Amino acid sequence: MAVPLLLLIFLSSLTFLPPPSESKLTTTYYRKSCPKFEQIMQETITNKQITNPTTAAGTVRLFFHDCMVEGCDASVLITSNSFNKAERDADINHSLPGDALDLIVRAKTALELACPGIVSCADILATATRNLITMVGGPFYKVRLGRKDGFVSKSSRVEGNLPRSSTPMSEIISLFASKGFSVQEMVALTGAHTIGFSHCKEFSNRIFGFSKSSPYDPSYNVKFAEGLRKACANFHKNPTMSVFNDVLTPNKFDNMYFKNLPRGLGLLASDHAMLVDPRTKPYVEMYAANQTSFFEAFSRAMEKLSIYGIKTGRKGEVRRKCDVFNSI
Ligand code: HEM
Ligand SMILES: *[C@@H]1O[C@H](CO)[C@@H](O)[C@H](O)[C@H]1NC(C)=O
Ligand SMILES: CC(=O)N[C@H]1CO[C@H](CO)[C@@H](O)[C@@H]1O
């Protein structure tokens, strides 16, 4: 009797401690080792976002893709070589945006000049994401620092770890659940579709030849569907054609994504499904009605995403260049 009881007490006391790796992260991690970290980040990000306004959305998506595969460890930044086909070259990342990658390179270059070998690429990506979200009107949330860059980046690990626009809601929910995210957190995070673009091929089956009775998905607003059909008319010839995720306030981080859904302005099948599925619908309605409530939930969920699967200590390294492992 005594042993199991002791074990029980021991185990329950453990659950009050954060996992050891994330407990090492602090918001002041670089205060002594790289005092200009915040300033250099902010300058680089501001310059880039002003000259290329698509940077914000691109960076948020890049970060999401990084975290979902191997955790937030900059694995998405690695370029393939003849020995290793990296994450970035998985089919799903067809459109991971060049501007976001360029931003990370710029920030890393400036930081290596100021404090060589100190700041990880994973911390740069996490911080850039938060700063850009705030810059385009979204909430500010805390990003704890001290992530190391990971040693693994394989395109074969991508499929199954990232949702597609055609993924059924039940699968999206269980994918996020497998990484510890509730339905509510998943809905809040996907509010990030309030900024940025999607390529026509991501929703072309909803606007061309949808069914025998309707050429486009009747759950679209009629004018919106017609606009999409025009915008994407040549998408086979020109696969770069894309449209705003949030047609009303495309560059502003707000709760318009959720307000759009009941108006038939949800672009992707997965967006529309958020409104239809009884498990997600209550959160869509709540965030559509109350931006403060969305911002609070989004901030909490992003703080959680930002420490998902992070590496510390010897489980990672500070890369000299964000797109190659140090060992190569
Ligand atoms: C619920 C499941 C999700 C699905 C199925 C999904 C799917 C997609 C797809 C297909 C695109 C268009 C990509 C392209 O054509 O270039 C996209 C864009 C985007 N996604 Fe998601 N996404 C999901 C959740 C999220 C989450 C949780 C975030 C961030 C926290 C996010 C952030 C973004 C951003 C910012 C863009 C715009 C990218 C740009 O403009 O370059 N998405 N998403
Ligand atoms: C909106 O949400 C916030 C945060 O949850 C809450 O404090 C506030 O009372 C809500 N406002 C309304 C009008 O319901
Ligand atoms: C940004 C990036 O690295 N995109 C790559 C994603 O995968 C395609 C297909 O392999 C590559 O051509 C892109 O360069």
Side-chain angles (χ1 to χ4, degrees), residues 54 56-65 92 94-97 133 162-167 169 172 176 185-186 188-202 242 245 257 268 270-271 274 298 302 305:
T54 63
T59 305
V60 176
R61 179 156 178 260
L62 188 66
F63 181 62
F64 171 55
H65 281 217
I92 200 169
H94 59 92
S95 51
L96 284 178
I133 286 171
L162 279 169
R164 292 178 180 270
S165 51
S166 57
T167 308
M169 187 49 71
I172 294 180
F176 278 82
E185 288 168 332
M186 182 276 287
L189 287 172
T190 309
H193 287 180
T194 177
I195 53 173
F197 297 90
S198 293
H199 290 76
C200 294
K201 87 170 180 61
E202 297 294 345
S242 40
N245 287 327
Y257 169 76
L268 306 173
S270 53
D271 296 329
M274 299 277 169
F298 181 79
M302 281 301 283
L305 179 67

Side-chain angles (χ1 to χ4, degrees), residues 71 235 267:
F235 87 100
L267 184 60

Side-chain angles (χ1 to χ4, degrees), residues 11-40:
L11 284 177
S12 63
S13 71
L14 274 184
T15 60
F16 291 106
L17 297 170
S21 59
E22 73 184 59
S23 65
K24 287 184 196 152
L25 299 197
T26 63
T27 51
T28 55
Y29 191 81
Y30 295 116
R31 186 164 282 174
K32 289 205 180 100
S33 57
C34 193
K36 287 178 87 181
F37 170 73
E38 301 285 351
Q39 189 198 326
I40 291 174

Side-chain angles (χ1 to χ4, degrees), residues 113-181:
L113 281 173
C115 21
I118 299 294
V119 181
S120 70
C121 302
D123 278 346
I124 293 174
L125 183 53
T127 305
T129 298
R130 191 270 319 275
N131 290 14
L132 283 162
I133 286 171
T134 311
M135 204 178 289
V136 295
F140 179 90
Y141 54 88
K142 280 199 228 93
V143 174
R144 289 190 287 151
L145 302 166
R147 290 165 195 74
K148 291 282 173 67
D149 301 324
F151 295 126
V152 176
S153 174
K154 294 204 170 301
S155 70
S156 58
R157 295 273 298 123
V158 174
E159 191 64 51
N161 276 307
L162 279 169
R164 292 178 180 270
S165 51
S166 57
T167 308
M169 187 49 71
S170 288
E171 264 177 58
I172 294 180
I173 289 174
S174 49
L175 173 61
F176 278 82
S178 74
K179 297 176 187 299
F181 292 91

Side-chain angles (χ1 to χ4, degrees), residues 63 66-67 70-74 122 147-148 305-310:
F63 181 62
D66 183 33
C67 295
E70 313 291 355
C72 311
D73 66 350
R147 290 165 195 74
K148 291 282 173 67
L305 179 67
S306 304
I307 53 171
Y308 177 71
I310 52 143

Side-chain angles (χ1 to χ4, degrees), residues 206 218-222 224 248 255-267 271-276 280-289:
R206 297 185 75 202
S219 55
Y220 274 132
N221 169 292
V222 177
F224 186 51
L248 293 184
N255 66 339
M256 194 62 83
Y257 169 76
F258 298 106
K259 291 186 180 172
N260 283 341
L261 297 180
R263 295 167 176 158
L265 302 177
L267 184 60
D271 296 329
H272 181 63
M274 299 277 169
L275 180 76
V276 176
T280 48
K281 187 177 197 218
Y283 305 117
V284 169
E285 287 172 342
M286 177 161 87
Y287 300 145

